Amino acid sequence: MHSFIQLFSGVVDLVYLPVQQYREDGRIVRGLQRGANSFTHSTAVSLLQLTTKLFSSIQCVAEVTYDLVSPSQHRRSSPSFQHPADLREGLVNAYQVVTNDISSRASSIQHAAVYNHSTKGITSAVGGVLREIPPTLLLPFITFPKVITQLSNGAQNHLKPSTLKEREEKYRSS
């Protein structure tokens, strides 16, 4: 809801700031610059917040589906990342998400093949690998939203550094 209010306030600033500047000192061009700057900034931040929320929801649904189709009983554990301070940290975190998820999935497939081969032979190893196909097909639907979330959090914190400070204070006090 806050994102929509922020988006609306940017649209209001696009119209109101030029009028206000014209009333103050007659410089309408300066008011247009201020209004456009405010509109661009608030629109970008609110769209990044909405994008983060959307992709977090997609990730949640994909992880539940992954847990339903995964043949192994152990839950996937993914390392949690700090909120990136800027876009560069968001890119680094996104890269780490991709490499961790791919190596984890490869390890699961290898474990299924080795374990099933050692207990029941080559036929069971092939079956174990085939059982790992559905979770492997879901991996992009889990990884991609994580990547987008890291990138959008980094861009959001880059555009509005006070957001990161607010998050840190929020979790520090609880």
Side-chain angles (χ1 to χ4, degrees):
M1 188 64 155
H2 175 70
S3 301
F4 288 114
I5 293 170
Q6 193 172 12
L7 185 65
F8 181 71
S9 74
V11 173
V12 169
D13 285 348
L14 186 61
V15 175
Y16 179 71
L17 288 178
V19 172
Q20 180 188 19
Q21 188 73 37
Y22 181 74
R23 286 181 185 162
E24 285 179 11
D25 55 12
R27 295 187 309 173
I28 194 163
V29 174
R30 175 70 178 138
L32 286 171
Q33 288 174 338
R34 288 180 51 212
N37 187 23
S38 174
F39 171 74
T40 303
H41 186 266
S42 64
T43 302
V45 170
S46 65
L47 287 177
L48 286 169
Q49 288 174 345
L50 289 171
T51 301
T52 301
K53 290 177 185 177
L54 172 71
F55 280 99
S56 294
S57 300
I58 291 170
Q59 176 188 346
C60 183
V61 169
E63 285 180 348
V64 168
T65 306
Y66 179 92
D67 289 340
L68 290 174
V69 301
S70 181
S72 58
Q73 295 299 322
H74 60 85
R75 289 187 56 91
R76 326 180 327 111
S77 62
S78 58
S80 61
F81 292 98
Q82 295 280 345
H83 284 284
D86 58 3
L87 190 55
R88 185 196 58 78
E89 279 187 24
L91 283 168
V92 169
N93 287 356
Y95 175 76
Q96 290 174 343
V97 163
V98 171
T99 55
N100 287 344
D101 283 0
I102 289 174
S103 65
S104 171
R105 193 71 228 136
S107 173
S108 295
I109 293 171
Q110 179 187 12
H111 175 73
V114 170
Y115 176 75
N116 288 325
H117 182 269
S118 66
T119 57
K120 298 178 186 171
I122 189 76
T123 309
S124 180
V126 171
V129 170
L130 290 176
R131 280 189 293 277
E132 294 292 330
I133 289 176
T136 303
L137 293 176
L138 284 174
L139 183 67
F141 296 103
I142 295 171
T143 304
F144 184 69
K146 285 184 195 177
V147 167
I148 295 298
T149 300
Q150 289 296 321
L151 290 174
S152 62
N153 279 338
Q156 182 180 341
N157 293 337
H158 188 77
L159 289 173
K160 190 176 178 185
S162 63
T163 306
L164 181 63
K165 292 175 186 167
E166 290 170 5
R167 276 194 191 124
E168 288 174 353
E169 290 298 319
K170 176 181 173 181
Y171 292 114
R172 204 176 288 166
S173 63
S174 51

